[in-house]
Amino acid sequence: MKYLALLAFSCFLSFGFGQNILVSESMDIRTDLTYELLGQYGDNYLVASYSDFKFSIHNFNNELFLTSNQEFELEDKKSRIIHIYPDKEHFNILYSTVDKDFSYVINMPYNKSLERGVPDTIIRMEKQFQNYKYRYTFSEDKTKMGVLIIQSGDLIGYFVYDIIYKELVYSDEIQLEGYKFYEEYRKSVLSNSGILYLVFEFDNYYFKREKHQFKIIKIRDVGDRTEATIPMANLLTYDAYFSYDNVNNMFIISGLGSEKNLDRAELLFQIKQDPKNLNEYEFLTFTFQDKLLSDFYNNVQKNKRNYLENVQVQDLIFMDDGAAILVLEEVKKMERISSGSRIDYYGNRYTVDYHYENIMLFYLSADGDKVWQKLLAKRQFSNDDEGAYSSYFVFKNPNHLRFIYNDEIRNENTVSEYIIRPDGASLRTNLLSTDFQKLRLQVRNGMQISSHQVLIPSLRGKILKLLLIDYLN
C-alpha cells in the first residue's frame, strides 16, 4: 500500500483513537455534474456522476485505488436522469423519457459488474406541453421509494416503488382541492411498509394562529386515501421535521414553536400520530433548559433569554429503546456587498456568508418523561459555497452516535467528532488533519456503509477524492 508521500496513490493513516483512515487517489470530475456515493459492492466502492442522459461509474478497489471509469448513455438523448440510487445488490438509474404521445418514468438496474438489467417502465403519462417534474423520498430501510409528479407547480400524481423486488407498489393521479401545493406542501414521508404521507401546513401566521394546522394525507394504495387535521392550538411553527417511527409505528412531527414571534423558537413540540386512526395523536411540548440557553448565548447575555434564534431542525434519530434524539443546528446566512465592488447601472457584487455553528441535542424518551438537552459547540464560516463543506455527518451505532464535522472551512483543516452516549455523556476528539493532503471534505454528504465504516467525499475544485473511516481496528 502506498503512503502519503506518494500523493498520486491512496494513503493509509492510523490514529490513536482506534480508527483507520484511508484516502483515495484523485479523480477529475466536471463541475457541472451531480455525483452520488453508491457505497460498497463486494470489495469495491462505487461513485456515480451524471448530467442529463449521460452518467459515469467510478470504481475504487478496497484500498481506494481508482480501477476504472466507465461512461454510459441512455438510449434516447431526450431522456433525463432523475436520480441514481443504490440497493443491496444493484445501483439504479431512475429517469424520464418521452416519445410522440407519452412521457415515461423508467428504472434501470445495474449489477456490481456494471451489467445492465431489465428496465422497468414504472408509469406512463400523456405527453403535455408543460414538462413533468419529480420529487422523490425513500423509506428508512431503503426498500421503498416514493415519487411525487408535479406539473405547473401542482401535484398531479404519485407512485411508490419497491426497490428490492423492482416492481410498482401503487400509483395514482391526485387532485387536491383547497390545497396550494407550492405554498402549503411541507414534506412527503414513506414508511418501510410503503405507506405514503403528504404533509401540508395552513395559516402559520400570527394573525391567523388560531386557525394554524397541519393536514396529513395518508395513502396506503390506489383508492385508499385518508386525511386528518392536527390543530396547533395557537402555536406558530418556527421549524419542523417530519418522519415515521417504523419500530413503534407512529407518524411524528418534531419541531420548534412560538406563541407570537416567528423569528424565535420558544419551545420544542412533538406530535405522535397513530397510523391506524389519524384522529388520535399525542401532543407534547418541552421548554429549553437554562444550561442549554446559557451555553447557546455564551453566558454573556445580561437579559436572560428563554428562546433560540437562527436554528434549524436537521434530524430526528430513533434509538433502540424507543426514544428519539432531535438534532438542531445554528445556521445563519448573510448577504453583503463585497468590499471594493463596483456600484453602477448593472448593480452590485454580493457575496453570501454561511455560518454553521452549534449543534443541539434533545433526548425524548418514548413516554416523554425523560428529557436531556445538550449543546455541542462548533464554529464554521464560509462564503459563496452554499455551505457545502459545513454542517456535520452523524454516524449511528447502537452504543453511541458520532457527530463528524470540519473544525474550519479551509483547505488545510482539522476534522473533529463528538461521541455521544445514550445518557447524554459526550467526548470531543480530533479525528484527523487534512494538512498537505489536498482534501476538502463535504462531510454532510458522507455515507455510512456499515456499523463501523463511513465514506466521506472530498471535492476541491474539480478533484474528487474519497475518505474511508473504519472505527473497527
Side-chain angles (χ1 to χ4, degrees):
M1 186 176 294
K2 307 300 181 182
Y3 286 85
L4 185 60
L6 302 178
L7 293 179
F9 300 96
S10 64
C11 61
F12 173 81
L13 304 173
S14 181
F15 291 81
F17 295 107
Q19 68 270 355
N20 293 326
I21 296 177
L22 193 63
V23 181
S24 77
E25 61 180 315
S26 60
M27 177 187 74
D28 284 350
I29 187 168
R30 284 173 26 207
T31 55
D32 62 330
L33 297 179
T34 301
Y35 76 87
E36 297 284 348
L37 302 184
L38 299 179
Q40 186 175 16
Y41 292 81
D43 292 331
N44 296 324
Y45 301 90
L46 300 185
V47 178
S49 58
Y50 64 93
S51 178
D52 295 333
F53 62 94
K54 298 180 179 181
F55 65 97
S56 298
I57 302 299
H58 315 281
N59 196 332
F60 295 81
N61 66 14
N62 62 351
E63 294 183 347
L64 291 190
F65 287 90
L66 182 60
T67 58
S68 67
N69 287 306
Q70 292 189 236
E71 297 183 355
F72 301 84
E73 289 187 6
L74 299 175
E75 293 181 356
D76 190 343
K77 293 186 178 181
K78 292 181 289 186
S79 301
R80 291 295 179 264
I81 296 175
I82 301 170
H83 188 47
I84 299 181
Y85 66 94
D87 62 46
K88 292 181 179 180
E89 302 295 334
H90 307 83
F91 66 88
N92 302 270
I93 315 297
L94 183 72
Y95 67 95
S96 64
T97 191
V98 296
D99 59 20
K100 182 179 178 181
D101 300 311
F102 296 100
S103 295
Y104 306 87
V105 176
I106 299 173
N107 188 77
M108 177 77 74
Y110 285 77
N111 65 20
K112 61 183 179 181
S113 300
L114 308 189
E115 297 170 335
R116 189 174 73 176
V118 178
D120 184 9
T121 301
I122 302 175
I123 57 169
R124 185 185 75 170
M125 301 169 289
E126 289 188 5
K127 188 177 178 180
Q128 302 288 342
F129 177 75
Q130 292 285 341
N131 291 331
Y132 297 105
K133 296 183 179 180
Y134 307 92
R135 295 190 183 187
Y136 54 85
T137 187
F138 292 90
S139 61
E140 184 182 25
D141 62 2
K142 307 300 182 186
T143 64
K144 308 291 191 306
M145 174 176 60
V147 176
L148 305 186
I149 306 166
I150 301 162
Q151 187 181 53
S152 302
D154 292 323
L155 177 65
I156 64 166
Y158 57 86
F159 66 83
V160 172
Y161 186 72
D162 192 305
I163 295 170
I164 304 303
Y165 293 100
K166 301 291 184 291
E167 62 183 18
L168 180 67
V169 180
Y170 57 82
S171 68
D172 202 0
E173 298 177 354
I174 189 170
Q175 290 183 342
L176 297 176
E177 296 184 4
Y179 290 81
K180 299 177 182 178
F181 182 80
Y182 183 79
E183 296 178 9
E184 296 159 347
Y185 170 78
R186 294 295 178 263
K187 185 71 174 178
S188 55
V189 177
L190 187 63
S191 74
N192 290 346
S193 62
I195 302 173
L196 181 64
Y197 291 84
L198 307 180
V199 185
F200 296 83
E201 186 178 22
F202 295 83
D203 297 318
N204 189 32
Y205 307 102
Y206 173 71
F207 291 106
K208 294 184 177 181
R209 64 190 186 278
E210 61 277 351
K211 297 181 180 180
H212 180 211
Q213 59 186 338
F214 286 103
K215 287 193 175 182
I216 314 298
I217 299 176
K218 174 189 168 186
I219 305 169
R220 296 180 62 94
D221 205 340
V222 176
D224 187 354
R225 192 175 86 195
T226 55
E227 299 184 19
T229 298
I230 300 178
M232 290 298 290
N234 290 311
L235 185 67
L236 300 174
T237 304
Y238 179 91
D239 194 19
Y241 189 89
F242 309 93
S243 53
Y244 192 88
D245 182 349
N246 289 284
V247 175
N248 298 303
N249 290 316
M250 289 285 180
F251 176 76
I252 297 180
I253 304 175
S254 303
L256 302 169
S258 173
E259 293 184 355
K260 296 181 180 180
N261 194 337
L262 279 171
D263 294 325
R264 297 177 178 179
E266 298 174 347
L267 55 82
L268 183 150
F269 67 85
Q270 187 174 73
I271 301 169
K272 297 181 179 181
Q273 186 184 55
D274 186 349
K276 296 179 181 179
N277 185 349
L278 295 188
N279 293 316
E280 291 186 8
Y281 58 89
E282 182 181 28
F283 198 132
L284 303 173
T285 60
F286 308 88
T287 58
F288 302 122
Q289 296 173 356
D290 291 342
K291 178 67 166 60
L292 180 88
L293 292 167
S294 178
D295 291 342
F296 184 81
Y297 291 110
N298 296 313
N299 299 295
V300 297
Q301 297 298 325
K302 294 181 179 179
N303 297 320
K304 182 179 178 181
R305 299 185 183 184
N306 61 355
Y307 56 85
L308 300 176
E309 298 175 296
N310 301 310
V311 291
Q312 295 179 2
V313 183
Q314 302 287 39
D315 202 357
L316 183 67
I317 302 170
F318 295 108
M319 311 297 286
D320 289 343
D321 61 0
I325 296 179
L326 187 67
V327 184
L328 311 184
E329 188 172 22
E330 186 179 3
V331 179
K332 289 176 280 189
K333 176 181 174 183
M334 303 178 183
E335 290 186 359
R336 57 184 172 86
I337 299 176
S338 299
S339 176
S341 66
R342 72 184 191 183
I343 303 176
D344 55 24
Y345 174 80
Y346 296 101
N348 303 328
R349 166 69 168 86
Y350 284 91
T351 187
V352 181
D353 295 335
Y354 295 89
H355 299 258
Y356 283 75
E357 302 187 348
N358 300 307
I359 300 170
M360 285 143 284
L361 307 180
F362 298 83
Y363 175 92
L364 308 173
S365 62
D367 57 11
D369 290 340
K370 183 180 178 182
V371 178
W372 55 255
Q373 304 179 6
K374 194 172 193 68
L375 184 140
L376 309 179
K378 71 176 177 69
R379 293 287 185 270
Q380 295 170 319
F381 167 78
S382 63
N383 55 64
D384 292 340
D385 67 349
E386 300 293 334
Y389 303 92
S390 299
S391 198
Y392 64 89
F393 178 82
V394 58
F395 179 90
K396 301 171 185 178
N397 183 286
N399 298 319
H400 54 259
L401 302 174
R402 295 178 183 266
F403 287 81
I404 305 169
Y405 64 96
N406 289 313
D407 268 347
E408 297 178 88
I409 310 304
R410 60 180 186 176
N411 288 335
E412 311 300 335
N413 168 53
T414 299
V415 179
S416 297
E417 68 176 357
Y418 282 100
I419 304 172
I420 310 297
R421 302 293 182 187
D423 62 358
S426 65
L427 172 67
R428 181 186 180 277
T429 65
N430 292 331
L431 192 56
L432 68 122
S433 172
T434 64
D435 289 353
F436 312 113
Q437 296 183 51
K438 294 185 178 180
L439 291 174
R440 200 164 190 203
L441 297 174
Q442 292 187 335
V443 174
R444 70 200 304 180
N445 293 333
M447 180 182 192
Q448 184 168 340
I449 56 178
S450 73
S451 61
H452 56 88
Q453 288 182 317
V454 60
L455 198 63
I456 298 176
S458 165
L459 191 60
R460 185 168 174 171
K462 63 175 185 176
I463 302 300
L464 179 70
K465 291 184 178 182
L466 301 179
L467 182 139
L468 177 67
I469 304 174
D470 192 337
Y471 290 102
L472 187 62
N473 217 346

